[in-house]
Amino acid sequence: MSDLQAFRDEVREFVRAQLPARVREKVRLGVELDKSEHLEWLGRLRDRGWLVPNWPQRWGGPGWTPAQRAVFQEELVLGHAPEGAGITFEMVGPILIHHGSPAQQQHFLPKILALEHWWCQGYSEPNAGSDLASLATRAVRDGDHYVVDGSKIWTSGAQYADWIFCLVRTDREARPQQGISVLLIDMKSPGVTLRPIIGIHGWRYFNQVFFDGVRVPVDHRVGDENHGWSVAKSLLEHERLNLSRVGENRRRLARLRAIGREVREAGEPLERRAWFQRRYRELEVRLEALSATVLRYRRIVESGQGLGPETGMLKLVGSRLIQDMENLTVDAIGPDSVAYDARAHRELPSPAAGGADPFAEAPRHEFAATASARRFVTRGYTIAGGSSEVQHNVLAKQVLGL
Ligand SMILES: Cc1cc2nc3c(=O)[nH]c(=O)nc-3n(C[C@H](O)[C@H](O)[C@H](O)COP(=O)(O)OP(=O)(O)OC[C@H]3O[C@@H](n4cnc5c(N)ncnc54)[C@H](O)[C@@H]3O)c2cc1C
């Protein structure tokens, strides 16, 4: 048996034995997890030393090869383990490892590994999304603190976060990209408030975060003052590979395979219907091509070379692919997928709390209850992390030289 196969068996057995059954079932059906369920699973990964596969060994990474990391990811998906908390482990961790001061590294990285700090990302503002450099949340020096005023929006998971890493304007006279700094802000600081934003899927996915005279120690600035733009940009490399969403796409394809076996049309399972076969195979081929390309780029990073702007295509292709997977899921389940899962809507009174459940009638297929919501969730994937239109612009200018 090859070493890689032995490693695969080890991971598979770990997931089988350690993933709580309730979490596995929710992930399989596409039901949203709450923070405690994430933490339960992440705690098991931490105890095994597998919490941060992409971090250097010095900071707690397991020292795996790119192939091992790919196998690990694949086995997690196949075993219905949840996707990790990307902002905490794939954004804040690398920012601190590459740009943090020794004091910041020694304080914050162990807190992340101990699962004590959960982070959210404060980049976008009501008037600064694609044009991020026009952000206006300002931080004014007052002795050894900054005083922060302004607002961030579309902040995913802020309701669960202990800390937020923010882009703030520290020089209003400089050119837009040159007057920005990165601050680490404790969400419990006086003057931080949240407003929930309920998405079209009915979930509280986003928030608007307000800063009203929030005092932040200067020690919590990452990198030099007014050089936050280069810190933020250096993250893009990591982000683009992750935003290709290969694992999430594999999970969807497996779901579609099950639907193809179980849902019937004109007396036969969908997997034998030509229209379903054609669309399923096309998605499968697109996923394999994406997966091979991501692996190729991971090897380039591993060999110490930088990545060029062409990796923007991975995000473009992966986010479009996942939307097409969800579209086929809804088309395959048909009218049943219009059923709305009230339990996914946290703001509604639950039947257990005495309210009637208006959606009590069980849909016919087990994936039906979440199909519409999941389709709406992935609608945002071609907007988040750089919209498709903007990605096209970057590829046209920087790669094709148009
Ligand atoms: C699921 C999801 C999660 C998110 N999570 C976070 C988070 O945790 N933290 C955070 O800070 N932000 C988050 N965001 C916000 C995200 O970064 C912004 O939505 C994104 O940058 C687009 O900005 P905008 O919404 O202001 O749209 P705009 O920038 O106003 O764009 C509106 C439309 O115009 C198009 N457009 C804009 N500029 C151009 C151009 N130059 N050429 C052609 N077309 C253009 C865009 O493609 C889009 O279709 C999240 C968004 C989503 C959908």
Side-chain angles (χ1 to χ4, degrees), residues 3-192:
D3 288 352
L4 205 55
Q5 184 57 45
F7 176 73
R8 185 183 287 282
D9 292 345
E10 189 186 349
V11 176
R12 185 169 297 179
E13 175 52 24
F14 174 82
V15 177
R16 197 198 55 73
Q18 295 296 325
L19 181 62
R22 190 185 64 262
V23 175
R24 181 196 318 266
E25 191 56 4
K26 278 182 136 183
V27 172
R28 191 180 72 80
L29 294 175
V31 177
E32 201 192 15
L33 299 179
D34 63 31
K35 183 177 171 182
S36 67
E37 289 165 329
H38 275 289
L39 286 179
E40 199 179 343
W41 167 237
L42 292 171
R44 311 251 170 121
L45 286 174
R46 175 202 51 203
D47 295 347
R48 188 71 176 76
W50 290 352
L51 184 61
V52 284
N54 297 324
W55 288 18
Q57 253 174 311
R58 173 168 176 240
W59 291 113
W64 289 337
T65 61
Q68 280 179 304
R69 290 209 293 264
V71 164
F72 178 70
Q73 218 46 54
E74 224 171 274
E75 287 303 320
L76 259 51
V77 168
L78 292 173
H80 305 297
E83 267 95 39
I87 290 177
T88 303
F89 301 117
E90 305 299 338
M91 296 180 108
V92 178
I95 279 194
L96 292 171
I97 288 167
H98 294 294
H99 304 279
S101 67
Q104 287 168 346
Q105 291 172 338
Q106 271 145 31
H107 176 72
F108 287 109
L109 294 175
K111 297 273 186 206
I112 290 179
L113 290 174
L115 300 173
E116 285 172 35
H117 283 182
W118 190 271
W119 289 77
C120 63
Q121 178 192 18
Y123 280 21
S124 308
E125 297 185 5
N127 292 311
S130 302
D131 181 18
L132 188 58
S134 62
L135 63 92
T137 294
R138 67 173 193 276
V140 177
R141 259 315 255 274
D142 178 22
D144 54 6
H145 281 74
Y146 288 103
V147 179
V148 179
D149 285 280
S151 167
K152 296 289 172 181
I153 198 165
W154 312 123
T155 321
S156 308
Q159 70 271 33
Y160 297 131
D162 307 294
W163 286 75
I164 181 168
F165 71 108
C166 267
L167 294 182
V168 294
R169 186 157 299 288
T170 35
D171 184 347
R172 283 196 277 173
E173 308 302 322
R175 283 181 43 216
Q177 289 159 351
Q178 287 168 358
I180 291 172
S181 303
V182 176
L183 289 187
L184 310 176
I185 304 179
D186 187 340
M187 293 291 276
K188 289 187 294 303
S189 312
V192 176

